[in-house]
Amino acid sequence: MEPYSVIVQAGPDEILHAREPHDLVFGFLRRWPSVGDVLVALPDMEGAAEAAGKLSSWGIRAFLGDPYNVCRRLLAAQAEMAAQAFNVRLLAIWKHADLHYVDRLVTAMREEPADLAAPPRDFDVTLAADVASLEAVERIAGIGGDSQEALRARFNPWGYMEMHPESFRVRYIEPAPRYGGDRVREILGDGRCHPENEFFGRQYQGSRYHFLAPRIPAGQRILDIACGSGFGSALLAERADVVVGVDYLEEYVARARERYPEGPRLRFLAGDGQQFRYEGGAGWFDLAVSLHTLEHVPDDSAMLAALRMNLRPGGRLILEVPILMDRPLGVPINPYHLREYRRQEILDQVREAGFRIDERVGGCREFYGREEQARDSLQIWATRMD
């Protein structure tokens, strides 16, 4: 087929931490016969110049652009490459992308142009690529304002298009592959570079916590399990009576305390979510937040029980977990995930743990909407029952 150019989106840390091109997508991308020009689009932020130098030593070109208007960054990068009417975008960490299927996405875009040629919703996008028309990306780049929707749209135009089918023509391209056991074992046996704690930069205002914060009543006692470097806990503390951020790793707790000084409204503690019991006693919290944590712990039922124990009667739980993709692997590719969940499975488990489910929100690439729009996550709002 006619070659196409590819933009690889990466953060500086992903490049700097890699030992060689094979640790990331570059090992096989440059050898693929359908791929012509390759350019890495880095956010113009701390570490980017050093990362660009490392890429140059590998023989790979880099482009530095807007950190948070990713649309603008990709459009500017595309202008430096061979002319084509669409972006083909891969993340650097998508080292197992199925380039046979990516060829199919590109062919579909060429034969019947659309705003986005995408894998079906039961297919893991990390094994594909984002193929979007430059015209659609330009439209999203120009969305103004600082609302959550606008910020997320400019950062992740592909998810925005999927969540707005009334405004964008999205074609889901079949047949999408489903791998057999040997291929699955080959991928899982290869070293995967999949950072679990993404850090967009402190100026980014479109995180999951930014989505949650306006929906949480002020003046609450909040338990934030797996708080990481503390950003979400600190954000919630702006409205809460007190937030206790808990993480299993002491180094994360130390980093959180360094970045966000503790005070009457914010504390950080080291603890295991499967058995954490707050020193204030059982039932001390009004709200528990657990975003993409349950899939990591050996005993997820024990963690749900601990969350319930720390909540007062009638206290609320906000839980978000990854949905298991049926294709192409049928098992998690993320090496940090002990499991991922089918929708009915996690709903039943939450109810069995003593919660009433009040609301279900579908997650699609950092966007939230109706449950049926979910691609990769399910967010559950529930109430402790007694």
Side-chain angles (χ1 to χ4, degrees), residues 126-145:
T126 71
L127 277 297
D130 294 307
V131 182
S133 75
L134 299 187
E135 188 275 334
V137 176
E138 181 69 53
R139 284 168 58 194
I140 298 172
I143 294 175

Side-chain angles (χ1 to χ4, degrees), residues 127-187:
L127 277 297
D130 294 307
V131 182
S133 75
L134 299 187
E135 188 275 334
V137 176
E138 181 69 53
R139 284 168 58 194
I140 298 172
I143 294 175
D146 58 0
S147 68
Q148 285 296 304
E149 187 86 345
L151 290 162
R152 288 172 180 270
R154 297 191 296 261
F155 194 80
N156 189 328
W158 315 278
Y160 184 76
M161 283 187 251
E162 285 204 70
M163 296 298 275
H164 291 277
E166 74 284 356
S167 301
F168 296 91
R169 186 182 177 210
V170 179
R171 293 183 60 210
Y172 294 100
I173 306 304
E174 296 280 13
R178 186 190 304 274
Y179 301 156
D182 289 344
R183 178 63 176 145
V184 171
R185 285 187 288 273
E186 178 186 358
I187 290 174

Side-chain angles (χ1 to χ4, degrees), residues 24-104:
L24 299 167
V25 72
F26 310 112
F28 64 95
L29 186 61
R30 293 186 296 175
R31 298 194 300 269
W32 194 252
S34 304
V35 172
D37 201 7
V38 175
L39 183 63
V40 181
L42 292 164
D44 192 358
M45 59 197 309
E46 183 180 357
E50 186 181 355
K54 185 170 186 177
L55 287 165
S56 179
S57 73
W58 291 345
I60 301 169
R61 291 194 302 144
F63 175 89
L64 276 61
D66 194 303
Y68 301 119
N69 191 328
V70 171
C71 295
R72 287 287 179 222
R73 192 196 320 167
L74 296 185
L75 289 166
Q78 191 69 55
E80 301 290 320
M81 308 176 77
Q84 60 187 34
F86 50 86
N87 281 137
V88 180
R89 174 263 196 181
L90 288 151
L91 287 182
I93 60 174
W94 291 357
K95 65 176 287 187
H96 296 103
D98 186 327
L99 293 183
H100 288 287
Y101 186 55
V102 174
D103 284 352
R104 193 175 303 156

Side-chain angles (χ1 to χ4, degrees), residues 271-329:
D272 182 345
Q274 298 165 103
Q275 55 194 21
F276 177 76
R277 182 186 181 98
Y278 185 54
E279 60 195 36
W284 197 82
F285 293 97
D286 302 301
L287 172 68
V289 177
S290 172
L291 305 182
H292 290 263
T293 307
L294 205 64
E295 64 270 19
H296 297 275
V297 301
D299 191 339
D300 53 355
S301 295
M303 180 166 167
L304 285 170
L307 289 167
R308 183 181 184 279
M309 181 269 297
N310 281 287
L311 285 169
R312 63 169 173 79
R316 302 200 72 192
L317 168 67
I318 303 174
L319 176 74
E320 186 170 326
V321 297
I323 295 172
L324 179 64
M325 300 286 100
D326 285 334
R327 293 186 287 178
L329 274 67

Side-chain angles (χ1 to χ4, degrees), residues 2 4 98-99 106 122 149 174 192 225 245 258 303 308 318 344 356 364 377:
E2 179 186 348
Y4 52 86
D98 186 327
L99 293 183
V106 171
D122 69 341
E149 187 86 345
E174 296 280 13
R192 290 161 285 160
I225 287 286
E258 179 182 330
M303 180 166 167
R308 183 181 184 279
I318 303 174
Q344 195 57 52
R356 180 190 72 229
C364 176
S377 67

